[in-house]
Amino acid sequence: MKHSQLSGAGAIALAAMLSPAFAQEVDPALQDVIVVTGIRTVSPVTDTELPNTRPYEGPDATTLLSRTPGAARVGNGALSGQAQYRGLFGPRINLRVDGQSFATGGPNLMDPPLHYAPLPLIAALEIDRGVSPVSAGPGLGGGMNAVFKRVDFAPSDALTLGYDLTAQARSVDDSTGFGGIAGAATESLRFNLLGAYEEGGDTEFPDGAVAASSFERGVFGVSAGVRFGAHALSLDARRQNTELSGNPPFGMDIRYFDADFARIGYAGALSGVRVEASIDYADVAHEMDNYSLRPPPPAAEQRNSAAVASTLGADVSVAWALWGGEVQIGADRVRVERNIDVANPNNANFRIGRLPDIEVARTGAFAQWTGDLGLFNAELGLRADRTDAEAGLAWTGSAVPAGVVNLAAAFNAADRTRSDDTLDAAARFWIDAHDGFAWRFTLARKTRAPGYVERFAWLPSSASGGMADGNIYVGDLGIEPEVALIAEVGFDYADGRAYLRPTVYLREIDDYIQGVPFDATPGVIDTPQEMVSSMNGDPTPLRFANVDARLYGFDVDAGLRLNESWRVDAVASFVRGERRDIDDNLYRIAPPSLTASLAYERPAWSIAFEGRFVADQTEVSQTNSEAETDGYAVFSLLGDWVVRDGVRISGGVENLFDESYVDHLGGYNRIAGSDVGLGERLPGAGRGAFVRVSVSR
Ligand SMILES: [Cu+2]
């Protein structure tokens, strides 16, 4: 079927070329692939290819999602976007960067995983349609993998050089970015450097600028591989430094993220058995504060917070032909260590070990069979995980108020060790295209063990994994894993002129983790937690708890070629999220949206006029004091030109009519003295132009 930039076949072929040797090709019924790289196949335009034009909605990789059915971007800052997929976001989506999953550093998810995938490095974004296969690890819903550009093994033994570089600029935030890869390869060796640097100022909107929305980040690294016979080894390493970057909906901004990543992988075949294994490491050091980028509050209210997270993981799997398909059996283990404290920079005695010496270790095993069952194809998987979580001793400096000291003592007196066993099952079925129709349906049981903030946050704080609802949250040691039962059905249709890919889905989630009123008497300050929270400005804190939830919806993408040069394409998404235990809605659910474009295409260039229509969101969460938003329409004019083989220029004008609008997923402004009022929802970017130049060979 088709995908965002190239024909489905082309996208899959490119993705396969970019993945490790011997990796299995994924059926398009199971995965969407957004091809990003400047590399453009020279094959003639196919009838099911989407326009090459794509708006540039900012530096974050989650901006790629706005043209994917069911997907949206939760915006917590220019570099802090969370991927939302069919109503689930944050840690509920299984995100990987170049195949590696890791713990990020910020307790408020200032650095969601895709923070570590700058756009100039991304070749493609692979999106598991519906749910992830169990082989990709645990996760409540779908999964995504940002595949980096790479100089792959050469077809012959002659040394070949390769590069794929991108430079971009955007007027609405005065941003520039450049980066990519360059290297060399033979049949048996490959090596490339990678690097990117991006910076931008405050985003403008029709009534001014969004204060503290600037950003800066740089990354450099290497990717290398060696291949001998049926075996291939790979090594990837990189360092990313994010500098001062704003998070207007949070109480603090990013001062820095210093992160190191390393991964060694093996893929090969031993007498008919496919073997894959890897060892990976990630280390994130982070500091945030409320005075470096935003106007500083009075000295007594200034805060900074330091966080470290290190991940050590390993996985191995074997696969062989069985029962007309392939069975894969694997095991994985990951251990994450964290430490997070908070301090007043003006008072050495005001320091709190708020998430102290947290260690979470998960061990999992899975079995998955993929093959032909006669009437349909199937991917059937089972996985079991044991997650052991433990927190160290909370500590407080001598200037910390007695209420906080008492909470720390109570936390230290409690049993801070927890163990969760979870069982996931996923069955994905699809029928090969017949007369252009390919049916697909999915049944799954997916789980998520509680996160460390949800469980161990003894100190009332606005750190909540990025909820950005303005509430202060308290964790709960007794919290249980989430369990989702998922059913989806849809079809993919494609013929020479048109494509249509609708899906309907239902997700019943038991023990969904969400903030609830702290006790039976919200607003009455009768607990130490409410007392501390009230001192920090929120007399009605929320407590993480297990509730019952339901998500259902419908999404579709479709396109029609009108004649040789003209085409229309559209993506529409609708999702509803509601509580099953009380009469309320889930928080921060994308409003219904429709994106449609009319494009004029020539072999070497194309232009497109795109409209994005977003409905009101009135189904808001009362529990989270969520405000409703109005609908809006924004239009863009986009162009793409292949100057010659390997040189490509894209550009356009976004928000053509300078529409003033707020994005429901954008959060509320917490920066004083901004052109956006305190507590108001953050506006979308105003009119601006962008240009992107790619060179590759
Ligand atoms: Cu942070």
Side-chain angles (χ1 to χ4, degrees):
M1 301 298 96
K2 62 99 287 296
H3 304 285
S4 280
Q5 304 256 324
L6 297 174
S7 70
I12 294 299
L14 182 55
M17 186 191 92
L18 292 158
S19 357
F22 313 110
Q24 226 188 350
E25 208 171 277
V26 177
D27 192 279
L30 302 179
Q31 198 173 67
D32 277 332
V33 180
I34 302 173
V35 176
V36 183
T37 179
I39 297 170
R40 182 185 155 118
T41 52
V42 285
S43 63
V45 175
T46 63
D47 285 338
T48 50
E49 179 184 314
L50 265 188
N52 283 306
T53 51
R54 173 166 59 82
Y56 178 27
E57 297 158 276
D60 206 79
T62 51
T63 58
L64 297 172
L65 293 171
S66 58
R67 304 300 176 276
T68 302
R73 173 179 197 266
V74 174
N76 284 332
L79 302 182
S80 305
Q82 294 184 21
Q84 180 169 118
Y85 188 67
R86 294 184 174 156
L88 296 174
F89 58 102
R92 295 185 174 106
I93 305 284
N94 176 4
L95 293 171
R96 285 145 283 154
V97 173
D98 214 19
Q100 182 173 351
S101 58
F102 54 91
T104 67
N108 228 347
L109 230 55
M110 283 178 172
D111 62 335
L114 293 178
H115 175 82
Y116 298 101
L119 280 176
L121 297 183
I122 300 179
L125 186 63
E126 300 170 345
I127 300 159
D128 295 325
R129 296 179 71 182
V131 302
S132 282
V134 296
S135 55
L140 199 64
M144 297 173 195
N145 179 28
V147 183
F148 279 8
K149 296 171 179 174
R150 164 186 298 179
V151 176
D152 216 335
F153 295 110
S156 77
D157 211 29
L159 184 77
T160 52
L161 301 176
Y163 55 80
D164 187 340
L165 304 169
T166 304
Q168 55 204 25
R170 184 175 183 232
S171 69
V172 78
D173 55 5
D174 265 330
S175 66
T176 52
F178 60 90
I181 58 153
T186 67
E187 223 171 348
S188 54
L189 285 171
R190 63 170 182 84
F191 175 85
N192 66 258
L193 297 171
L194 61 89
Y197 177 78
E198 302 152 281
E199 63 173 333
D202 288 343
T203 298
E204 286 162 27
F205 70 107
D207 301 318
V210 181
S213 58
S214 59
F215 62 91
E216 182 182 359
R217 96 180 135 187
V219 56
F220 65 94
V222 296
S223 178
V226 53
R227 187 161 73 169
F228 42 96
H231 312 279
L233 279 173
S234 64
L235 167 72
D236 294 279
R238 65 185 190 282
R239 163 166 291 184
Q240 178 169 317
N241 300 106
T242 303
E243 309 296 337
L244 210 55
S245 299
N247 299 95
F250 288 157
M252 297 185 186
D253 299 304
I254 297 168
R255 185 133 102 190
Y256 64 79
F257 281 101
D258 292 338
D260 293 308
F261 298 87
R263 184 168 188 249
I264 296 171
Y266 167 82
L270 301 163
S271 53
V273 177
R274 202 163 60 83
V275 181
E276 284 178 37
S278 73
I279 299 174
D280 58 80
Y281 166 81
D283 184 75
V284 180
H286 169 51
E287 213 174 290
M288 53 186 159
D289 67 42
N290 64 356
Y291 50 84
S292 291
L293 193 61
R294 63 186 67 195
E301 289 166 31
Q302 293 183 9
R303 295 286 181 277
N304 61 36
S305 180
V308 290
S310 71
T311 308
L312 195 58
D315 60 78
V316 61
S317 71
V318 291
W320 64 93
L322 186 73
W323 303 326
E326 188 192 58
V327 68
Q328 186 182 17
I329 291 181
D332 37 61
R333 177 170 169 82
V334 59
R335 203 179 99 220
V336 178
E337 292 178 326
R338 301 171 187 276
N339 231 318
I340 302 174
D341 54 30
V342 61
N344 181 335
N346 309 304
N347 183 347
N349 295 321
F350 189 98
R351 301 182 63 81
I352 304 170
R354 58 194 269 214
L355 287 158
D357 296 320
I358 303 218
E359 193 177 312
V360 179
R362 180 185 62 75
T363 308
F366 71 89
Q368 183 170 296
W369 179 86
T370 311
D372 186 355
L373 281 177
L375 200 55
F376 35 69
N377 303 293
E379 180 195 87
L380 308 170
L382 261 183
R383 89 169 278 134
D385 290 278
R386 150 74 55 104
T387 306
D388 294 307
E390 189 181 357
L393 292 172
W395 51 267
T396 50
S398 60
V400 168
V404 174
V405 175
N406 293 341
L407 285 179
F411 180 73
N412 292 346
D415 176 9
R416 302 177 311 284
T417 308
R418 287 294 182 276
S419 211
D420 298 302
D421 293 310
T422 50
L423 189 68
D424 288 18
R428 303 203 283 175
F429 305 95
W430 67 103
I431 299 170
D432 281 332
H434 183 73
D435 293 333
F437 270 101
W439 286 93
R440 54 191 155 74
F441 45 103
T442 295
L443 291 170
R445 177 193 202 268
K446 301 284 270 180
T447 64
R448 179 179 74 95
Y452 69 105
V453 173
E454 294 157 340
R455 179 167 267 160
F456 294 123
W458 61 270
L459 178 71
S461 137
S462 59
S464 56
M467 302 307 278
D469 57 355
N471 283 295
I472 284 183
Y473 280 82
V474 187
D476 184 348
L477 284 164
I479 211 155
E480 298 285 333
E482 301 178 325
V483 179
L485 293 177
I486 297 165
E488 305 201 0
V489 59
F491 67 80
D492 296 346
Y493 171 77
D495 65 21
R497 287 186 60 209
Y499 65 89
L500 178 69
R501 306 191 312 155
T503 304
V504 294
Y505 57 91
L506 172 66
R507 298 172 174 203
E508 298 272 323
I509 309 172
D510 290 344
D511 292 328
Y512 184 83
I513 297 172
Q514 123 109 50
V516 302
F518 184 78
D519 58 11
T521 54
V524 182
I525 313 293
D526 52 2
T527 61
Q529 285 89 349
E530 287 172 298
M531 215 171 295
V532 170
S533 179
S534 164
M535 274 176 356
N536 289 303
D538 184 0
T540 55
L542 299 180
R543 169 177 57 87
F544 283 113
N546 293 111
V547 304
D548 293 323
R550 170 183 296 135
L551 287 158
Y552 60 92
F554 165 81
D555 47 61
V556 61
D557 60 354
L560 176 65
R561 179 169 287 286
L562 304 171
N563 63 27
E564 200 145 286
S565 301
W566 289 94
R567 58 179 299 151
V568 290
D569 295 277
V571 180
S573 301
F574 168 83
V575 55
R576 276 277 288 123
E578 57 192 30
R579 292 275 293 272
R580 279 152 51 216
D581 51 342
I582 62 166
D583 182 21
D584 198 6
N585 298 298
L586 298 185
Y587 169 67
R588 229 174 182 186
I589 299 291
S593 69
L594 166 70
T595 302
S597 70
L598 174 68
Y600 180 80
E601 290 183 340
R602 304 301 302 167
W605 57 271
S606 58
I607 52 171
F609 181 67
E610 184 191 89
R612 179 164 172 76
F613 309 90
V614 179
D616 300 354
Q617 182 56 290
T618 53
E619 310 282 3
V620 292
S621 164
Q622 251 145 53
T623 308
N624 293 79
S625 324
E626 185 179 24
E628 298 185 0
T629 48
D630 289 334
Y632 60 89
V634 290
F635 298 88
S636 300
L637 195 57
L638 306 160
D640 180 70
W641 178 33
V642 179
V643 182
R644 56 186 170 80
D645 201 16
V647 180
R648 181 171 167 186
I649 299 177
S650 317
V653 179
E654 298 173 285
N655 196 355
L656 208 52
F657 306 116
D658 210 21
E659 163 87 356
S660 189
Y661 71 98
V662 296
D663 179 353
H664 186 76
L665 304 182
Y668 313 93
N669 175 50
R670 295 183 64 174
I671 313 284
S674 177
D675 295 329
V676 188
L678 269 176
E680 276 176 30
R681 228 182 254 277
L682 289 151
R687 178 170 45 222
F690 74 94
V691 61
R692 182 189 300 119
V693 181
S694 302
V695 292
S696 61
R697 66 164 274 178

